[in-house]
Amino acid sequence: MRSAGLIDGSGKWSGGQTHFVQTGDITDLGPDSKKINDHLDKLARQAKKKGGYVHMLIGNHETMNVIGDLRYVHEGEFEAFATRNSARLQAMQWERQVQWMRANVPEFEQMDLDAYRLQWEQKVPLGWVEHRGAWSLDGKYGQWVKNNQVAVQINDSIFLHGGISAKYCKFSLQSLTEQVIAARDNFDPAVTTIVDDPLGPVWYRGLALEKEEDIFSQTLDNILDRYGASRIVVGHTPTGGVVWPRFDQRVIVNDTGIAKYYGAHKGVLEITAEGLIAIYGDQRITIPAENSGRVDYLRAVIEADSNNAQLKQRLADM
């Protein structure tokens, strides 16, 4: 954000009237998501005072945390919520667990509770109770998700986490948000809804992965025409370190993989009146308007990140 001129040296908003869009999935990728969420929340208030805007979109990991799907939660995230009261809260949670097992597990009387508790504490570490409270429907971050959007259109660009598939393009962008929030609030793991549908807006990967030479290109045109847009910008599918244009710039895949797990690749998409720019540190590289310019563009990105083996392999494949 500093490289794009959006924050100053102390981390405060300096982007003026810029619209900054974060396309979701802040959580589950490291121990600092709580700090990042809180920082972005502060920036949103600061930007509003300056005439700017911070759009924090809902990703699949935000919805997973709210509905209780904790498969990908980084252990450090529980630790970030821990306080001096965590041991007491954990003990209370354990007592609830024992009460539930006593009523629902036929072989309860034969269980080795001491051994089971050691296993249980691996799944319910210190800070777990506070984390779940904060991400509950009425919690701080549960409400944070509820107050954000699934998709937003700024001028002729649509931004969202996963993408818009043919199944869901009949709905307005506002309707997509309303459906995700409603499904989240009434989640039933036995029923597939928009929050866990592979074709839904927080999970869909087609815009990032479909072949560009086949009939999907026409489907994409139809989707763009439906919303009166020129392009769709998505996250969700890591690119290995490049802000990647597809379908002659009608799709921009913007998840460069900033998390350490994906290589800690920094990259920012900037949309200006003159065109699209990718920012890599102090390097600003024009994004080609047509697919034919992608080889030269990729070479330029590799010059800025000469140690990126993934991008070198992408270039070799091309």
Side-chain angles (χ1 to χ4, degrees), residues 28 59-72 203:
D28 297 348
N60 61 299
H61 283 268
E62 280 76 29
T63 61
M64 291 170 72
N65 272 265
V66 175
I67 65 178
D69 185 344
L70 308 182
R71 287 175 291 166
Y72 302 111
W203 280 99

Side-chain angles (χ1 to χ4, degrees), residues 69-98:
D69 185 344
L70 308 182
R71 287 175 291 166
Y72 302 111
V73 176
H74 189 281
E75 62 182 13
E77 295 187 81
F78 295 127
E79 186 178 340
F81 282 86
T83 69
R84 61 184 180 181
N85 293 319
S86 293
R88 179 177 61 84
L89 293 172
Q90 184 191 54
M92 292 171 62
Q93 187 69 25
W94 168 249
E95 289 304 317
R96 294 190 189 99
Q97 177 72 15
V98 171

Side-chain angles (χ1 to χ4, degrees), residues 201-275:
V202 299
W203 280 99
Y204 183 56
R205 295 187 189 272
L207 299 180
L209 299 178
E210 287 279 1
K211 293 181 179 179
E212 298 176 71
E213 298 79 13
D214 64 14
I215 60 174
F216 184 81
S217 183
Q218 183 59 58
T219 300
L220 174 59
D221 282 339
N222 293 339
I223 293 173
L224 290 170
D225 288 344
R226 180 260 182 274
Y227 294 103
S230 298
R231 71 182 61 84
I232 301 175
V233 181
V234 298
H236 191 44
T237 303
T239 65
V242 59
V243 178
W244 192 241
R246 308 191 78 227
F247 299 98
D248 295 319
Q249 214 186 84
R250 287 173 291 165
V251 171
I252 304 293
V253 188
N254 195 44
D255 186 346
T256 58
I258 195 171
K260 183 178 180 181
Y261 180 83
Y262 292 110
H265 304 298
K266 299 178 180 68
V268 179
L269 168 67
E270 182 178 40
I271 301 177
T272 73
E274 291 71 37

Side-chain angles (χ1 to χ4, degrees), residues 6 13-20 47-53 154:
L6 297 178
W13 180 260
S14 61
Q17 297 181 337
T18 300
H19 283 249
F20 168 65
K48 188 175 182 179
K49 293 179 181 179
K50 302 293 184 179
Y53 211 101
I154 302 172

